[in-house]
Amino acid sequence: MSHQNRKVEIFDTTLRDGLQVEGVSATVDDKLRIAEQLDHLGVDFIEGGWPGANPKDIEFFRRAETELDLTTSTFVAFGSTRRPRGKVDEDVTLQNLLDANTAAVCIVAKSSDYHVTQALQTTLEEGTAMIADSVEFLRGNGRMVLVDMEHFFDGFKQNPEFSFRALEAAVVKGASHVVLCDTNGGSLPHEIEDIVRQVNAHVGKDVTIGIHCHDDTGCAVANSMAAVRGGARHVQGTLNGLGERTGNANLTSIIPNLQLKQNYVCLPEGRLEHLTVVSHRIAETLNRAVNPQAPYVGSSAFAHKAGLHVSAIARAKDAYEHIDPALVGNGTRFVVSEMAGRATIQMKADDLGLTLDGAVVNQVIDDLKRLEHEGYHFEAADASLELLMRRAAGWEQHFFKVESMRVITDEIPGAAFSTEATVKVWVGEERFVFTAEGNGPVNAIDTALRRAVQKAYPQLANIHLTDYKVRILDGGEATGAVTRVLLSATDGVTDWTTIGVSANIIEASWRALEESLVYGLLHSTDG
Ligand SMILES: [Zn+2]
């Protein structure tokens, strides 16, 4: 196969379809930052949303024109075909598309006869005319036109003849792409491959065939890959699979699947290794953490819970990993617990670049056993484990020294609870005393501690907490119940988790918080 045939275009719709996910909203600044990240990754197309749909999108397209400096990606405005029985030159949506001033536009078209007659309440002839007129109009105004064929697969299963006519209407008028959409997400890979193959035989010579899948059967990634097998050379999806209901096809899986397993070219040379960072940065911007178990980019994607075969992994890592994690910018992680033997600890130390002698390794094993007995769980708290190992080797954190911490919660009748924390710390020879209010004790001590040390360490502004989990452990032992706190933080690129255990929930939280900041500072200063 020629090089040309191995190119599969990547069309990202995180900023349009992706933002349909419940509980996510993005500001105009967020959207600009996400577009920059997608360009850094090197996708072919970035769909920005509907120009003119609401004040936020109007502002986004206006600012994108001057502030977005894309070096790799083509920016795309999204809209729809003209209204039934309307005129193209009087159509508001088409005019908004032109006003967005993008080189390419993507319009959604009805390609299922059921949707034309039921949803649009018009004839099939008018349905195809809407597509033909709109493509012709936009092409006439110098735009590259991609057509999203909505409900294509469901329509094709009912009435393939009409679906072909809808495709032809777009192709004849000069659409560059026809994108077959599994809008309800109900199709399976063998159906997708079969239908795409038929479409490819019919119009594949005249147009690029695209695929747009939703994950309602859990097959969106497989369906997109099946479409490529059937002849599609343009894949639409979102970073991290964001999207309404069960999500859109996940580009963070599709891109490496196509590029590393099937030798297709999706991104420019040298960009695939940005995948993990871009995935995490976008998740961070949208305040929606990456699933730890996400293929390729999740924090557990290349994590090994080292048991009996630990030494085998150390000898031949590639025997236990499906790809070299560096190819996607991720890394191998060894998960360590009280069950760990000497070899595991040694391997973890190598991984962290620490040199531990035999006595220190024994010390770490003893500490782990003792602490896990008290309720610590280091498997879930890699950052605390690293600090523990460093301390066993004689390291001490020199960033700050806490003199005291106090937290007070008041209930004032008729008003809300109020919480206030005071932290006294030393940074070198300087003493700082800071008080902060918070919406709870953890928030208050976090704010006070940061204020106290932020002057010396401005990089703390980039570090913030992403998750706080509390578990009450009752081992039925004489000591009674203890509280385990797991605290996750991020600097926008790396995520880490620390742990604190105590009979007192404030103390447990404080321990985890202090370690979280120390870990963040340690890794921000040593690069
Ligand atoms: Zn969609």
Side-chain angles (χ1 to χ4, degrees):
M1 221 180 256
S2 74
H3 178 76
Q4 193 57 37
N5 278 337
R6 303 311 288 177
K7 170 64 188 169
V8 176
E9 293 172 354
I10 300 298
F11 181 107
D12 179 278
T13 181
T14 305
L15 294 174
R16 199 220 7 127
D17 245 6
L19 295 185
Q20 301 298 317
V21 63
E22 283 175 65
V24 159
S25 85
T27 64
V28 171
D29 281 314
D30 292 339
K31 292 180 82 170
L32 290 166
R33 226 166 303 138
I34 289 170
E36 282 160 8
Q37 287 299 313
L38 292 167
D39 184 56
H40 179 60
L41 179 62
V43 300
D44 295 277
F45 297 95
I46 299 172
E47 190 171 64
W50 291 75
N54 55 54
K56 208 197 263 182
D57 278 341
I58 292 169
E59 190 197 339
F60 176 59
F61 275 92
R62 188 178 51 73
R63 286 181 57 189
E65 224 181 314
T66 52
E67 293 176 40
L68 256 193
D69 186 18
L70 303 181
T71 57
T72 311
S73 312
T74 300
F75 195 53
V76 184
F78 182 83
S80 63
T81 56
R82 71 161 169 78
R83 280 120 103 22
R85 293 171 297 279
K87 291 204 171 90
V88 283
D89 47 9
E90 292 168 1
D91 195 276
V92 179
T93 304
L94 292 177
Q95 192 54 50
N96 283 339
L97 276 175
L98 293 182
D99 291 345
N101 221 2
T102 53
V105 297
C106 182
I107 54 171
V108 61
K110 300 239 182 280
S111 58
S112 132
D113 72 348
Y114 181 71
H115 281 265
V116 172
T117 54
Q118 295 305 308
L120 291 180
Q121 303 261 305
T122 193
T123 62
L124 297 181
E125 287 65 35
E126 175 63 1
T128 50
M130 287 164 63
I131 299 173
D133 293 353
S134 305
V135 173
E136 185 173 38
F137 174 73
L138 292 167
R139 288 289 298 134
N141 281 279
R143 300 303 190 274
M144 175 187 209
V145 184
L146 299 89
V147 184
D148 267 10
M149 294 286 172
E150 198 185 35
H151 299 287
F152 185 84
F153 294 94
D154 296 337
F156 192 95
K157 290 173 203 169
Q158 300 284 322
N159 180 354
E161 195 266 335
F162 175 72
S163 297
F164 275 135
R165 264 165 48 208
L167 285 176
E168 285 160 6
V171 174
V172 164
K173 297 297 182 181
S176 60
H177 298 67
V178 287
V179 182
L180 315 182
C181 301
D182 189 26
T183 310
N184 294 348
S187 296
L188 295 173
H190 64 281
E191 301 169 318
I192 299 268
E193 183 177 344
D194 173 50
I195 293 172
V196 172
R197 211 175 279 288
Q198 293 182 54
V199 169
N200 192 30
H202 200 73
V203 295
K205 281 193 194 67
D206 308 309
V207 73
T208 300
I209 295 167
I211 182 75
H212 177 116
C213 293
H214 284 260
D215 203 31
D216 299 75
T217 58
C219 291
V221 169
N223 283 345
S224 306
M225 312 262 320
V228 172
R229 279 173 60 91
R233 288 294 178 270
H234 170 103
V235 176
Q236 300 196 345
T238 62
L239 261 282
N240 303 327
L242 289 173
E244 64 182 327
R245 306 191 306 276
T246 55
N248 280 60
N250 189 349
L251 292 176
T252 54
S253 298
I254 293 170
I255 294 170
N257 278 347
L258 289 174
Q259 202 157 311
L260 298 176
K261 310 275 176 177
Q262 294 196 287
N263 218 17
Y264 285 106
V265 177
C266 299
L267 303 176
E269 188 84 32
R271 303 294 186 91
L272 185 59
E273 46 267 49
H274 298 164
L275 189 70
T276 300
V277 164
V278 169
S279 149
H280 286 253
R281 280 192 187 142
I282 288 177
E284 180 56 26
T285 305
L286 295 174
N287 199 14
R288 211 177 156 91
V290 175
N291 175 4
Q293 294 194 301
Y296 295 103
V297 297
S299 56
S300 300
F302 301 96
H304 302 279
K305 188 160 174 171
L308 285 176
H309 56 271
V310 56
S311 50
I313 298 178
R315 240 183 290 117
K317 217 162 63 82
D318 59 347
Y320 296 87
E321 289 178 338
H322 72 115
I323 58 157
D324 174 359
L327 293 171
V328 291
N330 208 339
T332 302
R333 222 157 53 78
F334 295 105
V335 181
V336 171
S337 75
E338 60 183 333
M339 304 297 288
R342 300 181 53 88
T344 313
I345 298 297
Q346 200 65 62
M347 203 161 60
K348 185 78 189 173
D350 292 347
D351 208 36
L352 296 170
L354 299 175
T355 322
L356 303 187
D357 64 29
V360 174
V361 170
N362 288 339
Q363 181 65 50
V364 171
I365 290 173
D366 287 350
D367 288 349
L368 272 177
K369 290 205 165 119
R370 178 175 50 79
L371 289 168
E372 294 229 342
H373 182 68
E374 286 174 19
Y376 279 81
H377 185 57
F378 285 97
E379 255 181 57
D382 243 18
S384 288
L385 175 69
E386 177 178 332
L387 296 180
L388 178 145
M389 293 176 68
R390 286 181 188 275
R391 281 193 297 261
W395 172 84
E396 247 181 282
Q397 72 99 346
H398 53 271
F399 301 109
F400 57 85
K401 217 172 197 71
V402 177
E403 182 186 300
S404 69
M405 183 278 288
R406 182 172 61 185
V407 59
I408 304 164
T409 295
D410 288 314
E411 185 189 12
I412 299 155
F417 267 69
S418 78
T419 304
E420 189 182 286
T422 301
V423 173
K424 299 176 185 174
V425 298
W426 290 85
V427 179
E429 296 297 298
E430 222 178 327
R431 182 170 182 262
F432 296 91
V433 180
F434 273 89
T435 296
E437 291 176 324
N439 60 16
V442 177
N443 181 236
I445 55 179
D446 178 42
T447 310
L449 179 58
R450 277 161 184 278
R451 281 192 192 154
V453 293
Q454 194 133 359
K455 192 170 149 234
Y457 306 108
Q459 65 268 42
L460 276 181
N462 301 325
I463 297 174
H464 61 268
L465 306 183
T466 53
D467 198 13
Y468 172 72
K469 283 200 196 87
V470 176
R471 226 177 121 181
I472 310 299
L473 307 170
D474 185 5
E477 292 173 27
T479 49
V482 294
T483 304
R484 174 198 288 160
V485 167
L486 285 170
L487 205 61
S488 299
T490 184
D491 58 10
V493 178
T494 317
D495 305 337
W496 62 89
T497 302
T498 52
I499 189 167
V501 172
S502 167
N504 180 324
I505 185 171
I506 303 288
E507 187 190 357
S509 306
W510 173 249
R511 296 284 164 241
L513 184 65
E514 203 184 334
E515 291 213 331
S516 183
L517 293 188
V518 167
Y519 182 91
L521 287 171
L522 179 67
H523 288 275
S524 70
T525 50
D526 69 3

